[in-house]
């Protein structure tokens, strides 16, 4: 899909990773001077900037930033960045220790991914109640114990907490447990476009503080949803194989949200790029649309890490009409919405073109394509009234407007369907006439 490629995926991934590396180095240094991190973790924390850019590292940085701000300004920390702590001791330094173990997880995962060796130990520290290894699983310590040792060699990973031991054979995936150690394997979904992980057991990622609905945590419910996600990825893969693969590159961590009988849609927390929430529904076409939607959000969020869409704070005031919502939004998020829904309109146009023998299916897909494009057009009509866009903002606006024109050039739907789409657009606008446009 040409619209998806208008912003280069590899470029935004590389540029945002570089910005994230600089940010991580800065926050890690501040964390060492502010949070009660044990001396044995100094090399781990200061080495985080050299690790792979992952959702877990971005979450660690966000948690650190919140804790640092809380301590310096004597304010309560943000709930979404402290609710994940499983506190198992009353001593004042325990949060720092648990946070340090989260940094060790990231360092360990980096070494595993790169085939590098790692040796770390602290014989005096109290072991963490749980320890997650991305793409492997979560270790749980059944009882308090002292001493921790982590070793990554060429052929295996060994983690020791007290007298308990966890061994992972890298070549075979074999797991061996000893003593007070329990283990829950990670949940991965293999698709035609690549692999994603469902981090339903990763503290800090699998909670609704980053989204707007309950996260599906049960392994059985996720097993039911996994084939739906596979089919959704297949839909995108059939449309454009490279696009589908890039979507999963942008969204390596996926969690399902409970719909509760209604569609909660999907979301992407900007502080934890790489993590997305999708609707836990059984319609793969809906899930495919939301996956593409969030991949586009992820792409634009990453582009913004290198350059903003608006000068200063001109795009951040939440007073403007949004064709998609019942609350006012800032200009910046109107651009985001227009960008992702223009991509969605192209998605539906491709669906429409594939429905050769299904007249009703073609008309339905055509409606969605036209309706989403017209919503994006309405948003851009508002954005275009105001100044303050940067060079990137103008470039993204041009991409959006061109994408809208391509969809609306020759809508292959009936007059009555066009009239229904326009009626809904008008009805929504009238009901929110109090917002600035």
């Amino acid at each position: 899909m040409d619209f998806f490629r208008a912003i280069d995926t590899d470029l935004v991934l590389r540029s945002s990773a570089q910005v994230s590396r600089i940010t991580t180095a800065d926050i890690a240094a501040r964390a060492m001077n502010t949070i009660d991190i044990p001396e044995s973790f100094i090399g781990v924390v200061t080495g985080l900037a050299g690790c792979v850019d992952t959702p877990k590292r971005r979450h660690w940085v966000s948690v650190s930033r919140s804790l640092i701000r809380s301590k310096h300004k004597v304010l309560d920390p943000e709930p979404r960045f402290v609710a994940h702590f499983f506190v198992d001791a009353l001593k004042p330094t325990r949060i720092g220790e648990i946070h340090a173990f989260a940094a060790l997880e990231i360092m360990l995962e980096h070494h595993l991914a790169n085939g590098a060796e790692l040796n770390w130990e602290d014989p005096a520290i109290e072991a963490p109640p749980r320890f997650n290894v991305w793409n492997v699983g979560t270790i749980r310590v059944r009882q308090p114990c002292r001493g921790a040792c982590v070793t990554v060699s060429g052929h295996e990973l060994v983690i020791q907490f007290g007298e308990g031991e966890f061994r992972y054979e890298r070549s075979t995936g074999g797991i061996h447990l000893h003593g007070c150690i329990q283990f829950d394997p990670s949940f991965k979904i293999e698709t035609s476009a690549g692999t994603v992980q469902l981090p339903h057991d990763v503290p800090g990622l699998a909670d609704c503080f980053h989204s707007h609905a309950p996260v599906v945590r049960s392994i059985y419910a996720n097993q039911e949803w996994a084939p739906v996600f596979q089919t959704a990825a297949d839909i995108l893969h059939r449309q454009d194989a490279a696009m589908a693969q890039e979507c999963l590159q942008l969204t390596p961590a996926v969690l399902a949200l409970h719909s509760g009988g209604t569609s909660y849609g999907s979301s992407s927390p900007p502080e934890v790029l790489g993590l997305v929430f999708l609707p836990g529904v059984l319609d793969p076409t809906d899930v495919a649309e939301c996956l593409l939607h969030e991949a586009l959000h992820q792409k634009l969020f990453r582009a913004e890490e290198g350059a903003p869409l608006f000068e200063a704070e001109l795009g951040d005031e939440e007073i403007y009409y949004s064709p998609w919502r019942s609350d006012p939004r800032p200009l910046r998020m109107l651009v985001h919405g227009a960008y992702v829904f223009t991509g969605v309109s192209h998605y539906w146009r491709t669906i429409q073109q594939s429905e050769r023998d299904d007249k009703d299916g073609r008309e339905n897909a055509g409606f969605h394509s036209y309706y989403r494009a017209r919503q994006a057009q309405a948003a851009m009509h508002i954005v275009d009234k105001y100044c303050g866009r940067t060079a990137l903002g103008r470039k993204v606006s041009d991409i959006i407007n061109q994408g809208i024109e391509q969809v609306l050039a020759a809508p292959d739907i009936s007059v009555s369907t066009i009239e229904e789409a326009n009626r809904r657009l008008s009805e929504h606008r009238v009901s929110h006439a109090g917002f600035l446009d």
Side-chain angles (χ1 to χ4, degrees), residues 117 142 176 187 268 271 280 285 329 366 377 408 437:
E117 295 189 352
R142 291 199 304 264
H176 304 278
F187 193 112
S268 291
E271 305 89 350
T285 306
R329 300 291 280 164
Q377 186 181 57
L408 297 181
D437 61 14

PDB file of all heavy atoms in Angstrom, residues 117 142 176 187 268 271 280 285 329 366 377 408 437:
ATOM      1  N   GLU A 117      27.704 -12.893  25.869  1.00  0.00           N
ATOM      2  CA  GLU A 117      27.788 -13.472  27.207  1.00  0.00           C
ATOM      3  C   GLU A 117      27.546 -12.405  28.274  1.00  0.00           C
ATOM      4  O   GLU A 117      27.843 -11.225  28.074  1.00  0.00           O
ATOM      5  CB  GLU A 117      29.151 -14.134  27.422  1.00  0.00           C
ATOM      6  CG  GLU A 117      29.384 -15.334  26.518  1.00  0.00           C
ATOM      7  CD  GLU A 117      30.640 -16.109  26.883  1.00  0.00           C
ATOM      8  OE1 GLU A 117      31.409 -15.617  27.757  1.00  0.00           O
ATOM      9  OE2 GLU A 117      30.851 -17.188  26.309  1.00  0.00           O
ATOM     10  N   ARG A 142       8.908 -18.748  44.877  1.00  0.00           N
ATOM     11  CA  ARG A 142       7.814 -19.127  45.772  1.00  0.00           C
ATOM     12  C   ARG A 142       7.995 -18.614  47.192  1.00  0.00           C
ATOM     13  O   ARG A 142       7.032 -18.481  47.931  1.00  0.00           O
ATOM     14  CB  ARG A 142       7.670 -20.655  45.816  1.00  0.00           C
ATOM     15  CG  ARG A 142       7.160 -21.259  44.518  1.00  0.00           C
ATOM     16  CD  ARG A 142       6.599 -22.650  44.767  1.00  0.00           C
ATOM     17  NE  ARG A 142       7.571 -23.531  45.386  1.00  0.00           N
ATOM     18  CZ  ARG A 142       8.342 -24.391  44.735  1.00  0.00           C
ATOM     19  NH1 ARG A 142       8.256 -24.460  43.417  1.00  0.00           N
ATOM     20  NH2 ARG A 142       9.195 -25.159  45.373  1.00  0.00           N
ATOM     21  N   HIS A 176      14.676 -26.120  32.576  1.00  0.00           N
ATOM     22  CA  HIS A 176      14.930 -26.973  33.742  1.00  0.00           C
ATOM     23  C   HIS A 176      14.815 -26.114  34.996  1.00  0.00           C
ATOM     24  O   HIS A 176      15.422 -25.043  35.087  1.00  0.00           O
ATOM     25  CB  HIS A 176      16.324 -27.602  33.657  1.00  0.00           C
ATOM     26  CG  HIS A 176      16.555 -28.389  32.409  1.00  0.00           C
ATOM     27  ND1 HIS A 176      16.123 -29.686  32.251  1.00  0.00           N
ATOM     28  CD2 HIS A 176      17.149 -28.039  31.240  1.00  0.00           C
ATOM     29  CE1 HIS A 176      16.456 -30.120  31.043  1.00  0.00           C
ATOM     30  NE2 HIS A 176      17.080 -29.132  30.404  1.00  0.00           N
ATOM     31  N   PHE A 187       3.842 -15.939  25.815  1.00  0.00           N
ATOM     32  CA  PHE A 187       2.803 -16.250  24.831  1.00  0.00           C
ATOM     33  C   PHE A 187       3.137 -15.506  23.547  1.00  0.00           C
ATOM     34  O   PHE A 187       3.123 -14.273  23.512  1.00  0.00           O
ATOM     35  CB  PHE A 187       1.433 -15.797  25.363  1.00  0.00           C
ATOM     36  CG  PHE A 187       0.268 -16.340  24.582  1.00  0.00           C
ATOM     37  CD1 PHE A 187      -0.589 -17.265  25.149  1.00  0.00           C
ATOM     38  CD2 PHE A 187       0.027 -15.938  23.283  1.00  0.00           C
ATOM     39  CE1 PHE A 187      -1.671 -17.776  24.435  1.00  0.00           C
ATOM     40  CE2 PHE A 187      -1.040 -16.435  22.559  1.00  0.00           C
ATOM     41  CZ  PHE A 187      -1.894 -17.361  23.136  1.00  0.00           C
ATOM     42  N   SER A 268      -2.447   3.099  21.455  1.00  0.00           N
ATOM     43  CA  SER A 268      -0.991   3.006  21.528  1.00  0.00           C
ATOM     44  C   SER A 268      -0.489   3.985  22.584  1.00  0.00           C
ATOM     45  O   SER A 268      -0.687   5.189  22.429  1.00  0.00           O
ATOM     46  CB  SER A 268      -0.337   3.369  20.188  1.00  0.00           C
ATOM     47  OG  SER A 268      -0.575   2.413  19.196  1.00  0.00           O
ATOM     48  N   GLU A 271       4.361   6.542  25.503  1.00  0.00           N
ATOM     49  CA  GLU A 271       5.514   6.360  26.388  1.00  0.00           C
ATOM     50  C   GLU A 271       6.121   4.967  26.270  1.00  0.00           C
ATOM     51  O   GLU A 271       7.237   4.735  26.721  1.00  0.00           O
ATOM     52  CB  GLU A 271       5.111   6.589  27.859  1.00  0.00           C
ATOM     53  CG  GLU A 271       4.457   7.923  28.131  1.00  0.00           C
ATOM     54  CD  GLU A 271       2.937   7.862  27.943  1.00  0.00           C
ATOM     55  OE1 GLU A 271       2.437   6.833  27.417  1.00  0.00           O
ATOM     56  OE2 GLU A 271       2.261   8.840  28.312  1.00  0.00           O
ATOM     57  N   GLY A 280     -10.294  -7.259  21.696  1.00  0.00           N
ATOM     58  CA  GLY A 280     -10.390  -8.705  21.875  1.00  0.00           C
ATOM     59  C   GLY A 280     -11.702  -9.225  21.333  1.00  0.00           C
ATOM     60  O   GLY A 280     -12.546  -9.732  22.083  1.00  0.00           O
ATOM     61  N   THR A 285     -11.308  -9.002  10.436  1.00  0.00           N
ATOM     62  CA  THR A 285     -11.259  -7.792   9.618  1.00  0.00           C
ATOM     63  C   THR A 285     -11.158  -6.554  10.492  1.00  0.00           C
ATOM     64  O   THR A 285     -10.420  -5.614  10.196  1.00  0.00           O
ATOM     65  CB  THR A 285     -12.508  -7.699   8.718  1.00  0.00           C
ATOM     66  OG1 THR A 285     -12.637  -8.905   7.973  1.00  0.00           O
ATOM     67  CG2 THR A 285     -12.396  -6.523   7.763  1.00  0.00           C
ATOM     68  N   ARG A 329     -10.111  17.923  20.670  1.00  0.00           N
ATOM     69  CA  ARG A 329      -8.756  17.397  20.563  1.00  0.00           C
ATOM     70  C   ARG A 329      -7.791  18.494  20.134  1.00  0.00           C
ATOM     71  O   ARG A 329      -8.196  19.494  19.529  1.00  0.00           O
ATOM     72  CB  ARG A 329      -8.720  16.249  19.543  1.00  0.00           C
ATOM     73  CG  ARG A 329      -9.620  15.086  19.900  1.00  0.00           C
ATOM     74  CD  ARG A 329      -9.112  14.336  21.112  1.00  0.00           C
ATOM     75  NE  ARG A 329      -8.040  13.423  20.747  1.00  0.00           N
ATOM     76  CZ  ARG A 329      -7.205  12.874  21.609  1.00  0.00           C
ATOM     77  NH1 ARG A 329      -7.290  13.180  22.888  1.00  0.00           N
ATOM     78  NH2 ARG A 329      -6.276  12.030  21.216  1.00  0.00           N
ATOM     79  N   GLY A 366     -16.673  -0.226   0.522  1.00  0.00           N
ATOM     80  CA  GLY A 366     -16.639   1.082  -0.118  1.00  0.00           C
ATOM     81  C   GLY A 366     -17.143   2.173   0.803  1.00  0.00           C
ATOM     82  O   GLY A 366     -16.610   3.300   0.819  1.00  0.00           O
ATOM     83  N   GLN A 377     -10.616  14.132   5.822  1.00  0.00           N
ATOM     84  CA  GLN A 377     -10.695  15.398   5.094  1.00  0.00           C
ATOM     85  C   GLN A 377     -11.259  16.506   5.985  1.00  0.00           C
ATOM     86  O   GLN A 377     -10.751  17.644   5.984  1.00  0.00           O
ATOM     87  CB  GLN A 377     -11.571  15.219   3.860  1.00  0.00           C
ATOM     88  CG  GLN A 377     -11.628  16.426   2.940  1.00  0.00           C
ATOM     89  CD  GLN A 377     -12.537  16.164   1.751  1.00  0.00           C
ATOM     90  OE1 GLN A 377     -13.722  15.846   1.919  1.00  0.00           O
ATOM     91  NE2 GLN A 377     -11.975  16.240   0.545  1.00  0.00           N
ATOM     92  N   LEU A 408     -10.915   9.507  -2.694  1.00  0.00           N
ATOM     93  CA  LEU A 408     -12.152  10.193  -3.075  1.00  0.00           C
ATOM     94  C   LEU A 408     -12.250  10.500  -4.566  1.00  0.00           C
ATOM     95  O   LEU A 408     -13.287  10.983  -5.026  1.00  0.00           O
ATOM     96  CB  LEU A 408     -12.292  11.495  -2.282  1.00  0.00           C
ATOM     97  CG  LEU A 408     -12.413  11.352  -0.756  1.00  0.00           C
ATOM     98  CD1 LEU A 408     -12.568  12.718  -0.113  1.00  0.00           C
ATOM     99  CD2 LEU A 408     -13.585  10.450  -0.380  1.00  0.00           C
ATOM    100  N   ASP A 437     -13.476  25.087  15.243  1.00  0.00           N
ATOM    101  CA  ASP A 437     -13.029  24.453  13.985  1.00  0.00           C
ATOM    102  C   ASP A 437     -12.361  25.503  13.101  1.00  0.00           C
ATOM    103  O   ASP A 437     -12.008  26.574  13.559  1.00  0.00           O
ATOM    104  CB  ASP A 437     -14.181  23.762  13.265  1.00  0.00           C
ATOM    105  CG  ASP A 437     -15.293  24.719  12.873  1.00  0.00           C
ATOM    106  OD1 ASP A 437     -15.075  25.946  12.908  1.00  0.00           O
ATOM    107  OD2 ASP A 437     -16.386  24.239  12.519  1.00  0.00           O
TER     108      ASP A 437
END
